[in-house]
Amino acid sequence: MTDAYVNILVDPGAVTDAANEIGDLDAVSTVHVVTGEYDVIAQLDLDDSDDLPRVVADEIHGVAGVVDTVTNVAFEP
């Protein structure tokens, strides 16, 4: 299993709709609208780490209003 956090930059005015759509994606376990450099943070819960590029590039970037992402893969300490 792979946990990853995706920091998402969204066009102004599209944040709520984009966050709701991202939250509906199968790979997304939680989504939050946040303050700071990014607008949305999504936690991914993936059975196979090989799915990560497809989920980010195709599914998250396929959401209307998404401009850019930065992905952080989580590891146990």
Side-chain angles (χ1 to χ4, degrees):
M1 181 179 327
T2 300
D3 285 326
Y5 295 88
V6 184
N7 300 288
I8 306 162
L9 184 63
V10 180
D11 283 328
V15 174
T16 301
D17 289 340
N20 287 329
E21 189 173 339
I22 290 165
D24 288 339
L25 298 173
D26 289 338
V28 175
S29 58
T30 60
V31 65
H32 299 281
V33 174
V34 296
T35 61
E37 185 175 347
Y38 293 93
D39 303 301
V40 176
I41 296 178
Q43 181 178 5
L44 306 183
D45 184 8
L46 302 168
D47 291 329
D48 187 344
S49 62
D50 291 339
D51 291 335
L52 184 60
R54 179 191 54 77
V55 169
V56 174
D58 296 341
E59 295 184 21
I60 293 177
H61 276 274
V63 171
V66 171
V67 175
D68 196 17
T69 60
V70 172
T71 303
N72 302 98
V73 177
F75 297 96
E76 293 297 321

